[in-house]
Amino acid sequence: MTRSHTPPSTPSAPSTPSAPSARTAPAPDVLVVGGGLIGLVTAWRAAQRGLRTTVVDPAPGGGAAHVAAGMLAAVTELQYGEQTLLDLNLASAQRYPAFVAELEDLTGLDTGYRRCGTLAVALDADDRAHLRDLHAFQTSLGLESHWLGGRDCRRLEPLLAPGVRGGLRVDGDHQVDPRRLAAALLRAAERTGVAFVRATASRIDTAAGRATGVVLDDGTVLAAGRTVLAAGSESGRIGGLPPELLPPVRPVKGQILRLRIPAGHAPFLSRTVRAVVRGSHVYLVPRENGELVLGATSEEFGWDTTVTAGGVYELLRDAHELVPGITELPLTEMLAGLRPGSPDNAPLLGATAVDGLLLATGHHRNGVLLTPVTGDAMAEVLTSADGGLPPYARAFGAQRFAPARQEQPA
Ligand code: GLY
């Protein structure tokens, strides 16, 4: 077993008193708080490297993965000013084929990975100008993206609205089914020896300024060598840490719908189709099993996960402008989830200012895409001699938003 060096404790670390331990089993090397995609991949990769690993989550495999559409949209979701994140997104997209092959071999489960590409279209002159700019930006960065006129867009996807003015064909932006991916990761983690505690961690436990595990909501203490907080948006409000040491992660609500293409129905869409309508992203992700995922709103209203009439109305209205035929499809699910938004929309990975506490959270719109690279980066952190991030992830250190320390006078 390899153990990483842990950085020295800091004077600002918390000193919450420990609750009495109710467990006598030896403490794991790594305790991962959160059994979503990021927590599961971290645990799986850690266990593969020989670390005794436990995940604590009341319902592993759920969370945002249960809601997300699963677009692997490094190129079509490119934003100005996010070129560093683009590199990480591309590194993860590149890992996907081998990642799902490894998972599927180990578990016998299908992850729903589909190399279908994406078509991002414009519905009016403003959208067209925006997509033209995006295309110029993408090509300036050497990304593969092809401009198509409206007629060529409809040739690719005949059910698109006649008014589509043009679009970008991005052949490298694929999809995976996050629910299936989570199920495969859960089984892979179990097969690799990861233990699961199906309960809620209410706070990080600390002693002498060091994270020593977690306390469950029933008061049980789970001790661990190191604790990885990978609880999505919940990471930003876990107990036991003073406000200045809580991860700067906020909930960004996304409402999403699932429709079903009836068996025997003519092919609907052959690839992911998306647009920005009146400033909001709308996308349609067709799965091979006949599911059509229609997402997603982006709302900053705290911890609310209500599906609202307004959210559903906007999604259907915008998607109907894009592909009018959707209104004939059965609507099978309406859900809302919370993305873990960070101040720069990029993940927070690795060591924190609290000795023994690491983060793997803040993935915002890219959690599914970034799952493979996050697993690799966290495995490196947990097993390298210095506990540092590998070069490809170094820009995403968990402490990059920590308030600057005051220099003490000599
Ligand atoms: N990446 C898609 C979304 O967050 O809605």
Side-chain angles (χ1 to χ4, degrees), residues 18-347:
S18 292
S21 177
R23 307 241 163 164
T24 50
D29 301 312
V30 178
L31 179 65
V32 180
V33 183
L37 294 176
I38 298 299
L40 289 173
V41 77
T42 299
W44 177 41
R45 292 303 196 198
Q48 279 182 321
R49 302 245 187 152
L51 298 172
R52 279 178 297 119
T53 305
T54 295
V55 171
V56 56
D57 190 305
H66 189 68
V67 181
M71 287 181 300
L72 307 175
V75 177
T76 40
E77 287 207 353
L78 175 65
Q79 301 284 321
Y80 294 100
E82 292 187 359
Q83 287 93 315
T84 312
L85 177 59
L86 169 70
D87 290 340
L88 193 71
N89 286 343
L90 290 172
S92 206
Q94 208 171 27
R95 282 166 163 78
Y96 246 96
F99 176 72
V100 295
E102 184 184 355
L103 262 180
E104 291 180 357
D105 276 358
L106 175 63
T107 64
L109 295 175
D110 177 11
T111 60
Y113 179 59
R114 186 174 176 197
R115 296 173 70 88
C116 58
T118 296
L119 183 66
V121 300
L123 288 166
D124 63 25
D126 287 346
D127 299 343
R128 192 173 183 280
H130 162 77
L131 270 193
R132 277 289 198 190
D133 285 350
L134 180 63
H135 183 233
F137 185 41
Q138 289 166 337
T139 49
S140 76
L141 296 172
L143 301 170
E144 206 193 320
S145 167
H146 303 278
W147 178 261
L148 302 181
R151 199 173 307 150
D152 285 333
C153 290
R154 281 189 298 283
R155 202 168 287 141
L156 278 184
E157 296 297 342
L159 294 188
L160 279 175
V164 163
R165 306 283 288 264
L168 296 177
R169 198 192 79 217
V170 177
D171 295 334
D173 276 2
H174 302 307
Q175 60 154 303
V176 72
D177 184 335
R179 292 179 181 178
R180 290 178 176 210
L181 180 63
L185 278 169
L186 182 55
R187 188 176 291 178
E190 284 168 344
R191 290 209 167 155
T192 314
V194 174
F196 284 85
V197 175
R198 285 171 167 78
T200 301
S202 62
R203 68 178 170 87
I204 303 295
D205 199 16
T206 58
R210 181 183 164 82
T212 54
V214 297
V215 181
L216 304 181
D217 56 3
D218 68 358
T220 303
V221 174
L222 297 181
R226 280 169 297 169
T227 304
V228 179
L229 184 52
S233 55
E234 292 291 333
S235 309
R237 63 170 179 179
I238 190 134
L241 297 173
E244 69 276 14
L245 293 178
L246 271 174
V249 174
R250 66 187 196 285
V252 181
K253 177 176 170 181
Q255 301 189 50
I256 207 158
L257 309 176
R258 281 174 165 75
L259 302 105
R260 176 146 295 282
I261 297 160
H265 194 285
F268 205 81
L269 296 173
S270 62
R271 72 202 69 222
T272 296
V273 169
R274 57 185 303 153
V276 179
V277 183
R278 286 174 286 273
S280 302
H281 290 270
V282 62
Y283 44 79
L284 291 149
V285 183
R287 304 236 194 273
E288 257 157 6
N289 65 6
E291 184 174 83
L292 182 67
V293 185
L294 197 178
T297 65
S298 187
E299 306 159 64
E300 304 236 7
F301 294 133
W303 299 97
D304 168 55
T305 52
T306 318
V307 175
T308 64
V312 173
Y313 167 71
E314 277 172 32
L315 286 173
L316 288 174
R317 180 196 61 195
D318 295 349
H320 178 255
E321 280 189 37
L322 203 57
V323 182
I326 57 145
T327 49
E328 72 190 62
L329 299 178
L331 176 60
T332 54
E333 262 185 273
M334 301 182 287
L335 281 173
L338 299 172
R339 305 174 183 90
S342 75
D344 61 1
N345 301 328

